[in-house]
Amino acid sequence: MSDWVEACDAEDIDEEDVMRFDHDGRTFAIYRSPDDEYFATDGLCTHEKVHLADGLVMDDIIECPKHNGRFNYKTGAARGAPVCVNLRTYPVRIDAGKILIQIG
């Protein structure tokens, strides 16, 4: 069975930004797109396990702060060296102004 977990208030994340969310020993990154949509991925870069929430969001791309590897945060696809392994993505929904992610 899949679990929906409350991560934060929707308004806690600025447009075209990312926020770190830790739950049950795991780290996630939650994004707010320029189109006011929300997305979630694993929170660590697949290259050297750096927190993506410290990176730069541009359109639908998150850039890792360590080696500037890039991912499409909507699909998880690796988009720029040195990353070559995709990020896992998670379903997101908004309920009463809260962001919930499905992690189970």
Side-chain angles (χ1 to χ4, degrees), residues 27-68:
T27 298
F28 303 88
I30 304 170
Y31 309 84
R32 184 174 177 180
S33 76
D35 300 324
D36 206 30
E37 295 179 288
Y38 295 87
F39 299 88
T41 69
D42 280 332
L44 300 176
C45 180
T46 59
H47 176 238
E48 287 202 10
K49 307 301 180 203
V50 174
H51 290 282
L52 292 172
D54 294 331
L56 177 65
V57 175
M58 302 162 289
D59 297 320
D60 60 355
I61 300 293
I62 178 70
E63 183 178 85
C64 178
K66 187 164 186 177
H67 292 119
N68 305 109

Side-chain angles (χ1 to χ4, degrees), residues 67-79:
H67 292 119
N68 305 109
R70 294 181 178 95
F71 300 92
N72 179 315
Y73 62 78
K74 294 179 179 182
T75 66
R79 291 290 186 212

Side-chain angles (χ1 to χ4, degrees), residues 69-95:
R70 294 181 178 95
F71 300 92
N72 179 315
Y73 62 78
K74 294 179 179 182
T75 66
R79 291 290 186 212
V83 298
C84 56
V85 177
N86 296 339
L87 286 172
R88 182 172 175 194
T89 60
Y90 301 89
V92 174
R93 73 175 193 213
I94 307 299
D95 186 10

